[in-house]
Amino acid sequence: MMNFLRKRAARPSHGAFAVVTGAGSGIGRSFALELTRRGGTVLCVDINLEAARETVRLIEAMGGRAAAMTCDVGSAEAVKALSEQAEGLLAHPVTLLINNAGVGLGGKFEDVSLDDWQWCMNVNLWGVIHGCHYFVPGFQRAGGGAIINVASAASYTAAPEMSAYNVTKAGVRALSETLYAELKKDNIRVNVLCPTLVPTNIIKNGRIPGRYSGLADHALMNYAMTTSDEVAALTLDRLDRGELYTTPQIDAKLFWLMKRASPNLYADFLGFSYRFLK
Ligand SMILES: NC(=O)c1ccc[n+]([C@@H]2O[C@H](COP(=O)([O-])OP(=O)(O)OC[C@H]3O[C@@H](n4cnc5c(N)ncnc54)[C@H](O)[C@@H]3O)[C@@H](O)[C@H]2O)c1
């Protein structure tokens, strides 16, 4: 069994026994379908069970194997239960965990309630912490495994009117960077996905306190440069190559380079543009 798992770790996205959270929509559904194309078996997890079941139906129509489970990743008890039931539902130990479930929260800092902060922190940050906390010991016992944490380019762009979302995604990136180093000795790969705009239901499902013009949804659906299917495939390729970061679009790479090259200038540029655009 140990050798079998080590061999699989050479290309963890192929023939994976995967748990994908937020698999009922958008990027999570794309991960589930791409893993199926790569011969995997997928446990599709979502707070919306019907949406997860729909992904399972799509997988079965492709001739793949999948199961659905409901779970609120913001609840430690629910993720603990997921980690205990996943092996039975997949009929195999889990080899890949994709902590993808997430929610959008926009609005000016002073307009965002603490309840909304907590909701966003629970799903986006605690959801990923819970996933890593309950699945890493199993990977260590098995002699290896792989984790993809879905952060965002928001983890470093610090765009105005997205304070809570930015904080959660910066946390996911920091956690992933730490685990990448810490878990190398255990043969556990970690990749963190940091995309800019991807056309999904994130804004429709999210919260934007105050008046909302619909501009963000329009931009997401009309100006995004990459589909969720392309993002999922690219991320799985990066994981297979053992790389830590996936910044799938050119603007994601550009912001990363600008911020690294001159952090103070970047912050001033953001502040200036925000005042100008207001
Ligand atoms: N769409 C983008 O432009 C974009 C950009 C960067 C990062 N992301 C990240 O990608 C990930 C997937 O988002 P998406 O764009 O596909 O959005 P989406 O709204 O289309 O899908 C998110 C899925 O997560 C599920 N979900 C929400 N809360 C949950 C919870 N508490 N427990 C379990 N499942 C839950 C939803 O039901 C939904 O099926 C998120 O982490 C998001 O922050 C998205």
Side-chain angles (χ1 to χ4, degrees):
M1 172 60 92
M2 299 284 257
N3 280 345
F4 174 66
L5 286 172
R6 284 213 180 87
K7 222 163 144 193
R8 175 186 306 283
R11 280 204 305 171
S13 80
H14 289 259
F17 289 86
V19 171
V20 181
T21 69
S25 174
I27 298 171
R29 177 170 285 172
S30 291
F31 269 125
L33 298 180
E34 182 59 27
L35 287 165
T36 303
R37 284 180 206 108
R38 297 177 188 216
T41 307
V42 187
L43 179 54
C44 299
V45 178
D46 206 289
I47 197 164
N48 178 345
L49 182 59
E50 195 35 52
R53 283 186 174 142
E54 179 55 27
T55 304
V56 170
R57 281 192 280 276
L58 294 171
I59 289 174
E60 286 171 349
M62 293 162 69
R65 297 172 305 276
M69 182 170 164
T70 184
C71 172
D72 174 357
V73 298
S75 153
E77 295 74 38
V79 180
K80 183 169 187 277
L82 169 66
S83 71
E84 288 163 357
Q85 291 169 40
E87 180 171 339
L89 289 164
L90 288 168
H92 191 282
V94 179
T95 63
L96 169 62
L97 168 69
I98 304 188
N99 287 310
N100 162 79
V103 291
L105 174 60
K108 289 184 184 152
F109 178 76
E110 63 271 25
D111 290 340
V112 179
S113 70
L114 290 181
D115 278 351
D116 281 347
W117 265 90
Q118 257 153 18
W119 170 70
C120 189
M121 296 281 281
N122 258 347
V123 182
N124 290 7
L125 182 54
W126 277 104
V128 177
I129 296 170
H130 292 151
C132 294
H133 180 80
Y134 286 113
F135 281 88
V136 162
F139 289 155
Q140 286 170 325
R141 281 193 299 275
I147 301 169
I148 293 173
N149 290 330
V150 179
S152 165
S155 66
Y156 53 85
T157 52
E161 299 196 13
M162 291 174 52
S163 51
Y165 188 80
N166 292 344
V167 166
T168 63
K169 295 303 184 178
V172 171
R173 187 163 57 82
L175 174 66
S176 308
E177 289 166 343
T178 310
L179 292 183
Y180 179 86
E182 198 171 318
L183 299 178
K184 227 179 186 20
K185 64 169 182 15
D186 298 316
N187 191 34
I188 300 171
R189 290 191 197 180
V190 179
N191 183 276
V192 60
L193 169 59
C194 300
T196 51
L197 297 179
V198 185
T200 67
N201 293 314
I202 190 158
I203 293 180
K204 207 168 11 159
N205 291 338
R207 296 183 188 174
I208 304 183
R211 281 181 57 212
Y212 171 53
S213 64
L215 197 66
D217 207 22
H218 180 77
L220 196 73
M221 289 308 179
N222 295 291
Y223 300 114
M225 289 186 281
T226 321
T227 65
S228 56
D229 287 350
E230 289 165 338
V231 168
L234 187 74
T235 309
L236 293 171
D237 290 344
R238 289 281 157 85
L239 177 77
D240 284 351
R241 293 212 293 267
E243 291 173 18
L244 168 59
Y245 299 104
T246 305
T247 46
Q249 303 103 332
I250 188 80
D251 52 352
K253 291 188 208 319
L254 206 64
F255 282 125
W256 173 257
L257 289 174
M258 278 163 65
K259 187 157 179 189
R260 286 199 61 184
S262 186
N264 282 314
L265 193 65
Y266 175 81
D268 281 336
F269 162 76
L270 265 193
F272 175 78
S273 327
Y274 182 60
R275 270 173 68 176
F276 181 73
L277 288 170
K278 278 278 126 184

